[in-house]
Amino acid sequence: MIMGVFTPRALLLLVASSVAVTAGSSGRLASTVSNDSKGYFDYESIQLLPEDLKALNDSDAVLFDFDSASSESVNAARSSTLCKIFPGDRLWPSKSIWALLDRVTGGALVKGVPRATTCYDGPGYDADDCEYLTSQWTNSYFHADDPIEMLSPVYQGLTCQPTTDPSDSCTMGGYPHYVINATDVAQIQLGINFARNIGVRLVVKNTGHDFSGKSGGAGSLSVFTHNLKGMKYIENYEAPGTEWTGAAFKMGAGVQAFEIYKAAADRGLMVVGGEGQTVGVAGGYIIGGGHSPLSSIHGMAADQVLSMEVVTPDGKFLTASFVENQELFWALRGGGGSTFGVVTSVTVKAFPTIPATTSTFSFKTGGDITYDNFWKGVRAYFDYFLEHSDAGVYSYFFILPSNGQFTFLMQPFVAPNKTLEETNALLSPWFTQLKNLGINFTPNTTYFDNFYDAWLGSFPLEVVEKTHVATGSRLLPRANWEDESLLNQTFDAIKASSDAGLTLIAFNMAPTLERGGNPDNAVNPAWRKAVMHALSSVNWAANATVAEIKAARQEFTYTHMQRWRDVSPGAGSYLGESDRMEPNFQQSFYGSAYPRLLALKRKLDPRNVFYAATAVGSEDWKVVTENGLPSEAGILCRVG
Ligand SMILES: Cc1cc2nc3c(=O)[nH]c(=O)nc-3n(C[C@H](O)[C@H](O)[C@H](O)COP(=O)(O)OP(=O)(O)OC[C@H]3O[C@@H](n4cnc5c(N)ncnc54)[C@H](O)[C@@H]3O)c2cc1C
Ligand SMILES: *[C@@H]1O[C@H](CO)[C@@H](O)[C@H](O)[C@H]1NC(C)=O
Ligand SMILES: *[C@@H]1O[C@H](CO)[C@@H](O)[C@H](O)[C@H]1NC(C)=O
Ligand SMILES: *[C@@H]1O[C@H](CO)[C@@H](O)[C@H](O)[C@H]1NC(C)=O
Ligand SMILES: *[C@@H]1O[C@H](CO)[C@@H](O)[C@H](O)[C@H]1NC(C)=O
Ligand SMILES: *[C@@H]1O[C@H](CO)[C@@H](O)[C@H](O)[C@H]1NC(C)=O
Ligand SMILES: *[C@@H]1O[C@H](CO)[C@@H](O)[C@H](O)[C@H]1NC(C)=O
Ligand SMILES: *[C@@H]1O[C@H](CO)[C@@H](O)[C@H](O)[C@H]1NC(C)=O
């Protein structure tokens, strides 16, 4: 029998309790807490307080109670063989218990329904809707409002993709079972307390952009943060505990890149965020230490954070800043999402906008361009990585193999705060070398008088929902560029992956500590030394068997990616765009910050309310899937 992680008291009452929900009865549990000095969003003033639970009888109240046990006592009582409770288990909450959760959250509970259900036989079948969603499927904007969909469906388990054959099966796989469609803090507190007290798996979904599908989880209760859209401009923010004052934005956890960039641009400002338009800037992106087209000027987005509001695993709502809950504040700036709590808002620095010049171009083998000259041309580019990134450049380029041919695509090269002439001066020595190799093309190099237009006009909207691909990445350090022989080895390792047919997506940037203002935060230290964030992707055939996928993934992770690790021992990898199977992920994703992060995790979350694959503390747990492939389509159990 599968046993749950629960507090014994909750178990007894759970089995005994049955709830009758009276239609139309209110029953919300929340108080309005105002505190001018906190600057809460309205939705953050709606909080759960211990006294709110008095509206329930004891047996119901215990389901939503805060955790007051010390981490020492919880750790001491810990068993090592438990799994989270799962639909179908005897202990899985009855419908009436879920109805109670819905009632106390004011109707925020949503059943997880795969978006593509309308493509399948059954009551949900709707041919027109199926056709529509199929046409929109690879567009990340389309999935923004969906409470359960993730953009890397491989990790959902691919159990309900769009299809033209309605007789295919559509099952829940790694989709969350229930979702709290959060619009205030009290609902999040109730969800966390409920999951912790009962032993249901909890996940957090913002946009679903994580490359390893960390917003999903079979049989889970999900907290969906997308609708926490607050945005507030603060002209003269004074960050307590620091000298810093200046323009800032407070963003709700659901704010996406395209929204905050527009809001900043409307005031002649810019903020540090990702290149991807739909990324959840205030969610997993900042918490996970994400990179930005402004990283070679301002460092990481996490370096810009001045304050955060967060619901912790015990259900409390806290501020984490330079003067309150400092250790948590340190960890939430780079230590990864779904680990220490649910962030509800983030306040970040804003900067006056700057102009930028971008350049887009490509060349490929074939015609006059031989394989050797193609690679000589690419190799020549690597010689400029230090100069470019030290000058503030962020470049985004691809090497795409296809039937033995190769395409190099720069899309785009971004030179923030540079004129056309300055940008041409950076690029022309390389372009001359390319010309001498017989590689001719006409770059589109365009000057923009503000950063927003440069970003919007130059970055592609990436295609999402790929169904037979896995990605890994490496942060390659500056030291590899400071020694020609090491640079040759680095280049050869990258080229070997291209020769093997893998897709390269890479960035040249230098988000050093100095550029970030020497912050003390949990961003992977490997970022500070990196001048290249390189991603590699392996594709398998659409009809590949499980055994073939496993073999392809093994070879990818342990042969192809190993070459990159071998040339950069001790470096790392960016957790938000990473291989779910990354060996020694603790070192790769967190580096020397790991022991400190793990100690905080054990202290703040002794009951393991939060889990995400490769997150801090995740080594104690495993999602057990039926086919053995890494995905969210299984029960979460303790390891060992
Ligand atoms: C098309 C595309 C473009 C991208 N572009 C960039 C880029 O330019 N720069 C870059 O650095 N990365 C980029 N990424 C990677 C992406 O930023 C990271 O995966 C990031 O973690 C996504 O965060 P999210 O909240 O949007 O997504 P989600 O997948 O919803 O969340 C990611 C993780 O954070 C957790 N989480 C989310 N919100 C919260 C919260 N409020 N509190 C606690 N935990 C939370 C989730 O549980 C999950 O574990 C891109 C990804 C894609 C698919
Ligand atoms: C507590 O209240 C619920 C209604 O929410 C009711 O069904 C249940 O029987 C009550 N339990 C006790 C012990 O009174
Ligand atoms: C309001 O916030 C301030 C600053 O964090 C804090 O010192 C104070 O105790 C809070 N007041 C209440 C009533 O919570
Ligand atoms: C979630 O809440 C938002 C805001 O109230 C609403 O617009 C949206 O339709 C809800 N989503 C679901 C799936 O219920
Ligand atoms: C942009 O360039 C100007 C002029 O060279 C310089 O004064 C300014 O500090 C630069 N801004 C940033 C953000 O680097
Ligand atoms: C060059 O790039 C700019 C900005 O992205 C775009 O507006 C313009 O149409 C492009 N020109 C050509 C010829 O492609
Ligand atoms: C690096 O490789 C180039 C050829 O690409 C070669 O000319 C050069 O000698 C190599 N340098 C070292 C130190 O091996
Ligand atoms: C997959 O399809 C290809 C042809 O498209 C075929 O050669 C191969 O045998 C198929 N593999 C499996 C496992 O069905």
Side-chain angles (χ1 to χ4, degrees):
M1 188 187 71
I2 292 163
M3 293 288 286
V5 179
F6 47 80
T7 58
R9 198 160 120 80
L11 167 66
L12 288 173
L13 295 162
L14 187 63
V15 173
S17 174
S18 79
V19 183
V21 183
T22 324
S25 72
S26 160
R28 268 226 68 173
L29 294 186
S31 295
T32 303
V33 177
S34 55
N35 187 337
D36 287 346
S37 70
K38 293 280 189 187
Y40 289 145
F41 284 129
D42 288 348
Y43 71 74
E44 290 174 324
S45 296
I46 304 172
Q47 300 174 17
L48 180 73
L49 301 178
E51 50 266 37
D52 293 323
L53 296 172
K54 292 187 182 137
L56 299 178
N57 64 31
D58 285 355
S59 61
D60 284 352
V62 75
L63 301 174
F64 303 104
D65 208 355
F66 293 84
D67 196 6
S68 50
S70 71
S71 58
E72 289 76 15
S73 65
V74 174
N75 283 324
R78 194 159 88 173
S79 160
S80 62
T81 55
L82 301 180
C83 299
K84 298 283 179 174
I85 60 174
F86 203 71
D89 291 356
R90 192 174 58 85
L91 296 176
W92 182 254
S94 62
K95 280 213 164 72
S96 58
I97 296 285
W98 289 109
L100 177 62
L101 177 60
D102 187 44
R103 199 176 81 209
V104 297
T105 56
L109 196 68
V110 176
K111 187 102 176 60
V113 178
R115 181 65 185 84
T117 299
T118 54
C119 295
Y120 293 83
D121 284 340
Y125 182 73
D126 179 340
D128 291 343
D129 183 67
C130 176
E131 194 179 316
Y132 169 66
L133 71 85
T134 303
S135 74
Q136 300 299 311
W137 199 249
T138 60
N139 180 341
S140 56
Y141 281 96
F142 176 71
H143 297 280
D145 297 333
D146 192 286
I148 59 170
E149 216 64 59
M150 61 175 76
L151 305 183
S152 294
V154 165
Y155 301 105
Q156 182 279 325
L158 297 168
T159 63
C160 194
Q161 287 288 294
T163 181
T164 51
D165 179 0
S167 71
D168 281 351
S169 83
C170 165
T171 58
M172 287 301 282
Y175 288 124
H177 211 77
Y178 282 103
V179 180
I180 290 188
N181 182 15
T183 52
D184 63 50
V185 164
Q187 294 160 343
I188 298 172
Q189 295 175 288
L190 287 161
I192 289 175
N193 286 349
F194 180 82
R196 188 193 59 248
N197 291 332
I198 287 185
V200 169
R201 182 173 173 195
L202 186 83
V203 301
V204 185
K205 185 199 161 176
N206 186 27
T207 66
H209 275 64
D210 181 86
F211 275 39
S212 294
K214 288 175 230 165
S215 63
S220 67
L221 170 63
S222 173
V223 173
F224 183 42
T225 57
H226 172 71
N227 292 302
L228 302 175
K229 287 289 192 186
M231 211 187 292
K232 186 155 70 186
Y233 173 59
I234 308 150
E235 195 173 351
N236 288 301
Y237 188 87
E238 291 177 23
T242 71
E243 301 283 286
W244 192 88
T245 63
F249 277 96
K250 177 175 161 97
M251 299 183 267
V255 168
Q256 291 168 276
F258 71 94
E259 296 168 316
I260 184 65
Y261 293 173
K262 175 77 168 61
D266 287 346
R267 296 179 182 276
L269 301 171
M270 61 183 194
V271 298
V272 180
E275 58 78 22
Q277 294 179 29
T278 48
V279 162
V281 172
Y285 167 84
I286 278 182
I287 307 169
H291 59 91
S292 165
L294 291 167
S295 280
S296 299
I297 290 194
H298 287 304
M300 309 303 284
D303 302 343
Q304 321 308 324
V305 179
L306 300 165
S307 180
M308 296 166 119
E309 314 296 338
V310 54
V311 183
T312 44
D314 56 7
K316 295 203 178 84
F317 182 54
L318 305 177
T319 300
S321 71
F322 296 107
V323 292
E324 287 179 84
N325 302 295
Q326 292 97 325
E327 188 68 0
L328 178 59
F329 186 51
W330 172 81
L332 288 173
R333 290 173 295 154
S338 195
T339 306
F340 303 102
V342 177
V343 169
T344 64
S345 69
V346 181
T347 302
V348 297
K349 295 177 189 173
F351 300 94
T353 193
I354 49 175
T357 300
T358 68
S359 189
T360 299
F361 51 91
S362 73
F363 52 87
K364 53 174 179 278
T365 56
D368 292 341
I369 305 178
T370 61
Y371 171 92
D372 282 348
N373 282 353
F374 174 91
W375 285 108
K376 277 183 190 156
V378 176
R379 173 66 184 82
Y381 177 39
F382 278 52
D383 284 334
Y384 299 101
F385 276 25
L386 297 185
E387 182 196 335
H388 286 178
S389 54
D390 286 345
V393 165
Y394 175 90
S395 78
Y396 184 27
F397 64 96
F398 304 67
I399 297 177
L400 309 165
S402 172
N403 300 319
Q405 300 296 312
F406 296 90
T407 301
F408 178 95
L409 170 64
M410 178 64 79
Q411 193 179 34
F413 181 93
V414 186
N417 212 18
K418 300 272 183 243
T419 62
L420 205 55
E421 291 68 31
E422 288 165 336
T423 305
N424 284 333
L426 287 170
L427 283 168
S428 69
W430 177 33
F431 285 176
T432 302
Q433 289 170 298
L434 291 173
K435 198 165 280 173
N436 292 339
L437 289 164
I439 300 174
N440 294 296
F441 53 84
T442 308
N444 179 350
T445 308
T446 304
Y447 174 81
F448 297 86
D449 67 7
N450 70 89
F451 201 76
Y452 179 70
D453 287 343
W455 168 78
L456 192 61
S458 309
F459 282 95
L461 178 63
E462 286 107 345
V463 167
V464 299
E465 295 281 346
K466 292 178 187 143
T467 52
H468 38 281
V469 66
T471 298
S473 65
R474 194 77 183 154
L475 295 168
L476 295 161
R478 179 177 291 264
N480 286 36
W481 270 254
E482 288 170 340
D483 175 287
E484 188 183 270
S485 151
L486 195 49
L487 179 54
N488 281 354
Q489 290 169 39
T490 305
F491 176 76
D492 289 346
I494 287 168
K495 178 172 174 290
S497 290
S498 295
D499 283 335
L502 306 178
T503 299
L504 177 81
I505 300 182
F507 300 82
N508 171 212
M509 71 178 108
T512 62
L513 263 184
E514 200 182 13
R515 278 168 219 169
N518 294 304
D520 176 20
N521 60 32
V523 168
N524 189 344
W527 270 119
R528 307 306 185 169
K529 296 178 181 160
V531 293
M532 182 179 190
H533 166 38
L535 295 87
S536 186
S537 295
V538 63
N539 287 271
W540 49 87
N543 66 351
T545 62
V546 167
E548 286 167 347
I549 296 171
K550 281 182 183 161
R553 298 202 59 151
Q554 285 288 323
E555 193 191 13
F556 175 71
T557 300
Y558 296 101
T559 303
H560 298 307
M561 292 309 290
Q562 188 60 40
R563 280 191 299 265
W564 293 15
R565 288 190 288 269
D566 285 345
V567 294
S568 57
S573 170
Y574 167 38
L575 64 85
E577 299 178 325
S578 62
D579 184 354
R580 194 175 159 122
M581 291 166 59
E582 177 79 18
N584 196 6
F585 74 84
Q586 296 93 332
Q587 192 284 323
S588 283
F589 299 152
Y590 310 93
S592 57
Y594 197 74
R596 185 172 164 189
L597 287 165
L598 186 61
L600 184 66
K601 170 72 176 174
R602 299 240 195 273
K603 179 163 175 246
L604 291 185
D605 191 14
R607 295 188 203 276
N608 297 282
V609 181
F610 290 89
Y611 162 89
T614 73
V616 171
S618 62
E619 58 270 58
D620 293 345
W621 296 83
K622 185 176 165 43
V623 179
V624 183
T625 60
E626 226 166 82
N627 59 15
L629 287 171
S631 84
E632 292 299 339
I635 184 168
L636 180 63
C637 292
R638 276 186 196 278
V639 178

